[in-house]
């Protein structure tokens, strides 16, 4: 049955895949590493490391960056020895914590400079057809074969639907979604649809289906973003989207198996339109700094219960909980970060998770502090950092926290590692039950030209190492997530880098970083608030499956 885009409030949002993905599973990547509580440094004796090149973010990096990072296996013995030898004699006193801290705005400021304008461009990359060229035989021999494929031409009704879905996703933040091209003197991001050929749309490169030699479909890239712009500092980055693969899926005879409805032209158009809406909003999320791992949820529950990504995708291997049973509902999910299926890209109602809402709110309200000039290389000299209040709207349509109020404090620290074996220590206050997430960003920050390979460690107030992250699974950056305070007091974070001098590349051990820290608590809502939020949920509820 054909779905009416206006009468069906069907919020199927954006599972877009940033990386090329298998036609059968349609996967893409994510991240983190926590370890069992109160594990001392000496328990980590020899950690091996191999960088992954499977992510599109990596494939889009400058070739020099790839060459710098492809250095193979290594050990962490030197880092562990340095951590073992720290002075652990003095604790900080909470009284007067971080007095006099000076912070600045986290971003160019969507609230201060007007909304983030997003232009949905359905026309400039649309020619009606596109082509793919491959060798005649699967072994790469034979003549070149060029296949001409039809592009979906979006009707006005479909364009209105996609715009409405973007507005539903970003409506609680300061975004303006338009379908008329803004004036030349306006800064805005563009989402290009049908951007499937070289030279079309965003600089990131073409999206769309790929064919291997012999003509068999090899992978699909539904969308790709120019950048991952933490804090949304460049408000003019763009993204490409291509939903035409659903016509190929119908041709392969698996359309009805995946979506539960026959592959009529109307249904193929419907799937293409919904995929385009999901992918476009997902890719816009990357443009403004969101990551795949922000789909993990509910916040505080660790990795997805789907088993994806695997524990050993992280360095060191992940050993925390896997209770993220809402992950596949969330907008920034992908195959390899959440275990999404191809069908999930179209038939699941998606919305921003708590983690995504926090980062989007931080883009507009958050505060940044700079690393102190003096040495803060042990617990006694740790720089005291006050997390600042962040007002975060609740974007959860359904799930544990749909009726909850998020109490969030956050800060981003701008720091530099300018000596081999340097340690930067920071101290934060927390209360029992607080959920801490610490993201150490250097490589996956398209604004940072002076990047390095960072390592992040977390210690309790008795100086026990309680979490360690060398690499999250998408990149060599570090991410410690869902650390739950078991006491009220101080935790310490230590930033350092891997020593590349043995590879004759000490420059890869030095550079700039941002340490993004959030502290979240979720109190039970009052009865009146439950009632009000319940009404809101009913108004926003969506059908999650196609009507047959």
């Amino acid at each position: 049955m054909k779905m009416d885009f206006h009468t069906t409030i069907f919020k199927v949002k954006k599972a877009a895949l940033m990386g090329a993905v298998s036609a059968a599973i349609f996967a893409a990547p994510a991240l983190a590493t926590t370890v069992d509580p109160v594990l001392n440094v000496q328990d980590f004796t020899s950690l091996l490391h191999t960088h992954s090149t499977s992510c599109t973010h990596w494939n889009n990096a400058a070739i020099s960056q790839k060459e710098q990072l492809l250095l193979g296996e290594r050990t962490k013995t030197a880092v562990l020895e340095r951590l073992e030898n720290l002075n652990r004699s003095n604790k900080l006193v909470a009284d007067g914590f971080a007095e006099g801290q000076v912070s600045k705005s986290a971003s160019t400021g969507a609230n201060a400079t007007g909304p983030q304008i997003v232009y949905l461009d359905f026309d400039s990359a649309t020619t009606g057809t596109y082509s793919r060229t491959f060798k005649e035989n699967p072994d790469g021999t034979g003549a070149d074969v060029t296949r001409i494929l039809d592009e979906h031409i979006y009707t006005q009704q479909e364009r209105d639907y996609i715009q409405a879905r973007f507005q539903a996703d970003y409506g609680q933040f300061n975004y303006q979604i338009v379908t008329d091209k803004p004036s030349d003197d306006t800064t805005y991001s563009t989402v290009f649809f049908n951007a499937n050929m070289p030279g079309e749309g965003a600089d990131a490169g073409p999206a769309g289906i790929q064919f291997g030699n012999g003509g068999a479909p090899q992978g699909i890239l539904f969308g790709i973003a120019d950048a991952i712009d933490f804090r949304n500092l460049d408000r003019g980055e763009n993204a490409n989207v291509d939903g035409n693969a659903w016509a190929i899926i119908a041709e392969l005879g698996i359309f009805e198996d995946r979506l539960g409805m026959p592959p009529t032209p109307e249904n193929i158009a419907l799937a293409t339109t919904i995929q385009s809406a999901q992918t476009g909003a997902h890719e816009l999320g990357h443009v403004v700094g969101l990551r795949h791992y922000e789909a993990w949820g509910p916040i505080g529950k660790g990795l997805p219960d789907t088993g994806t990504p695997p524990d050993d995708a992280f360095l060191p291997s992940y050993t925390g909980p896997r209770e993220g049973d809402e992950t596949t509902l969330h907008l920034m999910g992908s195959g390899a970060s959440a275990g999404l299926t191809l069908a999930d890209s179209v038939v699941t109602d998606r919305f921003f998770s708590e983690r995504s809402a926090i980062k989007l709110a931080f883009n507009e309200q958050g505060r940044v502090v700079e690393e102190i000039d003096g040495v803060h290389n042990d617990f006694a000299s740790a720089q005291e950092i006050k997390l600042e209040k962040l007002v975060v709207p609740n974007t959860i349509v359904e799930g544990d926290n749909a009726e909850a109020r998020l109490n969030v404090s956050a800060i981003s620290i701008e720091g530099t590692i300018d000596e081999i074996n340097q340690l930067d220590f920071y101290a934060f206050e927390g209360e029992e039950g607080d959920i801490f997430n610490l993201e150490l960003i250097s490589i996956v920050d398209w604004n940072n030209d002076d990047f390095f390979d960072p390592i992040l460690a977390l210690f309790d107030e008795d100086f026990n190492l309680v979490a360690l992250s060398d690499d999250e699974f998408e990149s060599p950056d570090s991410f410690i997530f869902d650390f739950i305070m078991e006491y009220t007091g101080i935790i310490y974070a230590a930033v350092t880098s891997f020593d590349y001098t043995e590879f004759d590349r000490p420059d890869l051990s030095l550079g700039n970083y941002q340490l993004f820290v959030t502290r979240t608590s979720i109190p039970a809502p009052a009865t009146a608030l439950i009632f009000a939020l319940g009404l809101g949920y009913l108004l926003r509820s969506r059908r999650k499956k196609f009507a047959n």
Side-chain angles (χ1 to χ4, degrees):
M1 179 175 72
K2 184 177 180 180
M3 181 174 293
D4 187 308
F5 289 105
H6 294 288
T7 59
T8 303
I9 311 175
F10 179 31
K11 191 179 181 231
V12 277
K13 316 231 225 79
K14 305 71 207 170
L17 306 177
M18 280 280 303
V21 287
S22 135
I25 302 177
F26 294 84
L31 39 144
T33 299
T34 58
V35 298
D36 291 327
V38 198
L39 282 175
N40 291 312
V41 181
Q42 55 264 31
D43 293 324
F44 300 95
T45 54
S46 182
L47 303 176
L48 296 179
H49 171 99
T50 303
H51 286 297
S52 169
T53 57
S54 62
C55 182
T56 300
H57 300 153
W58 184 296
N59 292 332
N60 288 333
I63 188 66
S64 60
Q65 182 173 335
K66 295 181 192 179
E67 291 170 348
Q68 290 168 4
L69 296 173
L70 291 173
L71 297 177
E73 293 188 348
R74 69 202 188 178
T75 66
K76 289 295 184 292
T77 304
V79 173
L80 297 171
E81 287 177 352
R82 282 190 285 128
L83 291 173
E84 286 176 344
N85 293 329
L86 292 173
N87 175 8
R88 303 184 175 196
S89 60
N90 297 310
K91 294 186 183 180
L92 295 177
V93 179
D95 293 339
F97 196 87
E99 287 296 325
Q101 173 173 292
V102 177
S103 63
K104 59 185 178 181
S105 174
S107 125
T108 51
N111 285 340
T113 62
Q116 166 68 65
I117 299 173
V118 180
Y119 169 41
L120 306 184
D121 184 348
F122 293 98
D123 298 317
S124 66
T126 299
T127 60
T129 61
Y130 65 105
S131 65
R132 292 291 184 264
T133 300
F134 45 85
K135 287 296 185 181
E136 179 181 14
N137 302 315
D139 64 0
T141 62
D144 285 344
V145 177
T146 298
R147 183 174 178 183
I148 305 299
L149 301 158
D150 291 329
E151 287 181 331
H152 180 73
I153 308 300
Y154 295 90
T155 67
Q156 187 59 52
Q157 187 182 43
E158 292 166 345
R159 296 177 187 215
D160 291 345
Y161 171 81
I162 292 172
Q163 183 181 18
R165 298 285 52 82
F166 271 77
Q167 290 169 338
D169 294 333
Y170 289 90
Q172 296 188 71
F173 305 95
N174 199 10
Y175 283 71
Q176 182 179 345
I177 312 298
V178 302
T179 55
D180 293 325
K181 186 175 181 178
S183 61
D184 291 340
D185 61 351
T186 301
T187 300
Y188 60 93
S189 292
T190 302
V191 179
F192 296 92
F193 295 85
N194 283 329
N196 45 42
M197 294 295 292
E200 292 183 341
D203 293 336
I209 194 164
Q210 302 299 321
F211 294 92
N213 291 325
Q218 191 174 51
I220 295 176
L221 184 65
F222 282 116
I224 188 168
D226 269 349
I228 299 175
D229 183 10
F230 176 58
R231 293 166 43 200
N232 194 24
L233 296 177
D234 183 347
R235 299 174 71 190
E237 301 283 6
N238 307 313
N240 288 337
V241 174
D242 184 75
N244 291 295
W246 283 102
I248 306 301
I249 292 167
E251 181 183 293
L252 293 172
I254 59 175
F255 185 95
E256 186 167 5
D257 177 63
R258 295 295 189 273
L259 299 183
M261 63 182 188
T264 64
E266 294 81 4
N267 288 339
I268 294 171
L270 179 61
T272 301
T273 301
I274 293 172
Q275 180 72 64
S276 299
Q278 290 198 125
T279 298
H282 174 109
E283 298 305 329
L284 177 61
H286 286 306
V287 165
V288 299
L290 302 186
R291 300 293 301 273
H292 291 140
Y293 61 73
E294 280 150 11
W296 299 340
I299 193 168
K301 299 294 186 179
L303 284 182
D305 64 353
T306 60
T308 301
D311 293 344
D312 61 4
F314 310 98
L315 182 66
S317 291
Y318 178 78
T319 59
R322 280 187 171 272
E323 300 172 358
D325 58 355
E326 298 173 13
T327 299
T328 56
L329 295 174
H330 295 154
L331 176 58
M332 293 310 296
S334 65
S337 67
L340 270 64
T341 68
L342 174 59
D344 286 332
S345 299
V346 172
V347 303
T348 301
D349 181 0
R350 298 202 193 288
F351 45 88
F352 278 127
S353 69
E354 302 94 328
R355 301 180 202 274
S356 294
I358 289 170
K359 190 170 280 186
L360 289 171
F362 190 83
N363 285 354
E364 298 179 2
Q365 311 163 30
R367 307 297 294 177
V368 172
V369 297
E370 295 183 356
E371 175 190 9
I372 59 175
D373 291 336
V375 174
H376 53 113
N377 61 0
D378 58 19
F379 295 100
S381 62
Q383 181 176 349
E384 300 176 2
I385 299 291
K386 180 177 183 274
L387 302 176
E388 300 198 19
K389 181 70 175 178
L390 194 65
V391 179
V392 180
N394 191 327
T395 56
I396 305 300
V397 174
E398 62 176 284
D400 289 354
N401 297 323
E403 299 176 347
R405 176 169 52 90
L406 303 178
N407 286 340
V408 180
S409 297
I411 205 75
S412 181
I413 305 165
E414 293 183 338
T416 301
I417 296 294
D418 50 21
E419 294 182 3
I420 300 295
N421 297 331
Q422 178 177 325
L423 285 162
D424 288 348
F425 267 75
Y426 301 95
F428 310 94
E429 287 184 309
E431 296 184 1
E432 184 177 357
D434 284 349
I435 305 165
F436 272 84
N437 284 267
L438 301 93
E439 184 178 358
L440 180 55
I441 307 165
S442 183
I443 291 173
V444 187
D445 179 357
W446 264 233
N447 296 307
N448 183 18
D449 294 328
D450 189 11
F451 59 84
F452 69 102
D453 186 352
I455 300 170
L456 178 63
L458 190 66
F459 299 85
D460 66 17
E461 65 179 4
D462 294 318
F463 314 129
N464 294 306
L465 178 68
V466 292
L468 176 68
S469 177
D470 178 350
D471 295 346
E472 41 95 341
F473 83 96
E474 276 187 322
S475 84
D477 283 348
S478 305
F479 184 41
I480 292 174
F481 61 95
D482 291 356
F483 175 78
I484 300 177
M485 292 283 286
E486 296 183 350
Y487 60 92
T488 295
I490 297 172
I491 62 169
Y492 301 90
V495 174
T496 188
S497 64
F498 177 69
D499 185 353
Y500 277 89
T501 53
E502 64 180 289
F503 298 102
D504 296 322
R505 292 303 307 270
D507 54 303
L508 293 180
S509 302
L510 310 174
N512 300 323
Y513 65 84
Q514 296 182 75
L515 178 59
F516 179 51
V517 183
T518 68
R519 182 183 68 219
T520 305
S521 63
I522 308 173
T527 304
L529 183 60
I530 292 175
F531 178 75
L533 291 173
L535 286 178
Y537 172 75
L538 290 175
L539 291 172
R540 293 185 62 194
S541 62
R542 311 281 197 264
R543 279 200 299 175
K544 295 182 188 177
K545 300 291 181 184
F546 282 109
N548 292 317

